[in-house]
Amino acid sequence: MSYQCILTDVKQGVGIITLNRPKVMNALNATLCREVGEAVDGFEANDSIGCIILTGGDQVFAAGADIKEMKDQSFPALHAKNFPYIQRDCWRAIEDARKPIIAAVAGFALGGGCEMVMACDFIIAADNAKFGQPEVSIGTMPGAGGTQRLTKAVGKAKAMEMCLTGRMMDAEEAERSGLVARIVTAEALAEQALKTAAKIASMSRPTVMLIKESVNMGVSCSLDDGLRFERRAFEATFAFEDCSEGMNAFAEKRKPVFKNR
Ligand code: CO8
């Protein structure tokens, strides 16, 4: 499949999506959003892939929605068709994916770009990463999860300050605040993200999917409901051949051979 605004690759059971509009800091135009959605769908449907990486360039993940493309939109058009010019809600495609998606972020992740990495399952940040919701500076506001996911990730005080002032958070503050899982050097980002994703891809896929679903449940439901869901999901893993293979392999002091069933 050839794309205009992204690159895709497959390595070690990992599907890699790279945003690729370097001249405009990977601004998210309609084509890029559609292509990210299509690439996620394609990797989801590909049985040889167990994990996905979403990444950008060395200096910028994405500087947000393409302001030049967005600037002439009107409220009636946006409202009537739920942001029609984007055509494909790639943020939704990312969060609906059942395979884990890791964001590997170097440089700016701003506006819709910050929202895109927050829709992923976790973020590995390069030491030059910067996160922000600067929409207020151009007279608008986050529209794809910025006020919601940032608040859940870093708490109300920091999210409110960032959304109201446009202040960016550097990688260290983002790690301290719980927005990113881990910081690596910019040079090591691609390798470390691939190593992490390949490790996930080597695990039992149905179990990995249940773990992802269970953690995500916990983000949006009560502790009681989350614990109940987790217990049923845990029990369900005993229906997988991979579960008995994993436990037998441990008892027999050998490496498990997971068959994703
Ligand atoms: N859209 C379009 N073009 C952009 C964007 C953008 N978001 N960001 C940068 N560019 C372009 C610039 O216009 C420039 O192009 P040219 O060379 O033709 O003039 C080129 O990229 C390089 O940019 P700069 O010269 O500005 O580079 P700097 O290194 O000086 O600055 C910044 C980098 C700080 C990233 C700066 O470019 C910037 O502030 N960009 C805009 C950031 C922003 O406001 N983002 C929020 C956009 S709104 C949004 O994301 C809402 C999402 C809602 C989604 C809801 C969907 C349902």
Side-chain angles (χ1 to χ4, degrees), residues 23-25 27 63-68 70 83 91 108 110-112 115 134-135 138 143-144:
K23 287 191 180 141
V24 288
M25 305 210 115
D66 189 322
I67 299 168
K68 292 166 195 164
M70 185 169 62
F83 222 83
W91 300 270
F108 295 110
L110 303 178
E115 291 170 317
E135 291 90 339
I138 55 165

Side-chain angles (χ1 to χ4, degrees), residues 21-29 33 59-60 62-70 78 82-86 88-91 108-115 132-138 140-145 168:
R21 296 187 76 211
K23 287 191 180 141
V24 288
M25 305 210 115
N26 289 337
L28 312 172
N29 66 355
C33 290
Q59 300 300 320
V60 62
D66 189 322
I67 299 168
K68 292 166 195 164
E69 188 184 67
M70 185 169 62
L78 293 179
N82 200 15
F83 222 83
Y85 91 89
I86 286 289
R88 179 74 202 268
D89 187 336
C90 53
W91 300 270
F108 295 110
L110 303 178
C114 188
E115 291 170 317
Q133 298 291 160
E135 291 90 339
V136 67
S137 317
I138 55 165
T140 184
M141 64 177 282
M168 292 182 209

Side-chain angles (χ1 to χ4, degrees), residues 14-35:
V14 176
I16 304 169
I17 302 170
T18 306
L19 308 187
N20 188 33
R21 296 187 76 211
K23 287 191 180 141
V24 288
M25 305 210 115
N26 289 337
L28 312 172
N29 66 355
T31 306
L32 182 147
C33 290
R34 177 173 48 72
E35 290 181 352

Side-chain angles (χ1 to χ4, degrees), residues 68-117:
K68 292 166 195 164
E69 188 184 67
M70 185 169 62
K71 70 184 177 50
D72 296 324
Q73 295 294 316
S74 70
F75 170 72
L78 293 179
H79 183 255
K81 294 198 178 152
N82 200 15
F83 222 83
Y85 91 89
I86 286 289
Q87 298 156 12
R88 179 74 202 268
D89 187 336
C90 53
W91 300 270
R92 176 61 72 183
I94 292 166
E95 75 171 352
D96 285 349
R98 298 185 69 205
K99 293 176 184 172
I101 306 188
I102 301 172
V105 179
F108 295 110
L110 303 178
C114 188
E115 291 170 317
M116 199 176 258
V117 299

